[in-house]
Amino acid sequence: MSASDDCLFCKIIAGQIPSSKVYEDDTTYAFKDINPKAKVHVLVVPKEHYANAAELAAKDPAELAHIVSVAQRIADDSFHGAYRLVFNTGLDAGQTVFHVHAHVLTGEKLDE
Ligand code: 5GP
Ligand code: ZN
């Protein structure tokens, strides 16, 4: 069994669990968070399974840069390019899904 067999986001990427797609290309998938913390709250994930941002940065830095550019595009479309980008990393930081995902929070003025 690979790390991804039991992964919620791998199942969402594969279409085995429904999601509200915002963007997709060959390497990257973006979908609405089920429990939004802002007017627009999108999760941007690599289609390959990596546990967290540091692992992605080490193994595929171009994909990490691409995720940032996808986040920028979502914010350009929804709130004149202003957004917050969050990678929760580790249980004690609130990471609950261990497939790296960028939280893109935008669509409205955010609290500081
Ligand atoms: P984390 O806490 O790991 O940084 O973020 C996981 C995020 O995934 C949470 O914001 C949570 O609301 C979201 N989430 C959990 N399960 C699902 C699901 O089945 N579908 C979608 N669209 N989002 C989910
Ligand atoms: Zn996964």
Side-chain angles (χ1 to χ4, degrees):
M1 187 197 256
S2 75
S4 58
D5 285 342
D6 207 26
C7 171
L8 174 64
F9 288 174
C10 282
K11 288 179 181 159
I12 284 178
I13 293 159
Q16 293 162 2
I17 292 174
S19 64
S20 182
K21 179 165 86 174
V22 172
Y23 172 85
E24 182 173 17
D25 61 31
D26 287 350
T27 64
T28 308
Y29 188 71
F31 56 105
K32 290 183 184 171
D33 195 293
I34 207 168
N35 181 23
K37 299 286 200 301
K39 189 170 173 195
V40 174
H41 184 172
V42 175
L43 302 174
V44 187
V45 303
K47 289 185 173 177
E48 289 285 323
H49 182 97
Y50 300 101
N52 56 47
E55 190 183 320
L56 176 62
K59 294 189 175 157
D60 190 353
E63 175 61 18
L64 181 58
H66 182 56
I67 284 171
V68 175
S69 75
V70 170
Q72 180 70 55
R73 198 178 313 182
I74 291 164
D76 287 345
D77 290 346
S78 44
F79 194 54
H80 59 77
Y83 62 105
R84 184 167 295 154
L85 192 61
V86 175
F87 289 96
N88 293 327
T89 304
L91 267 178
D92 288 345
Q95 186 176 8
T96 59
V97 180
F98 288 81
H99 180 131
V100 60
H101 48 283
H103 293 261
V104 183
L105 300 155
T106 184
E108 63 183 337
K109 187 159 178 13
L110 301 171
D111 291 340
E112 290 175 16

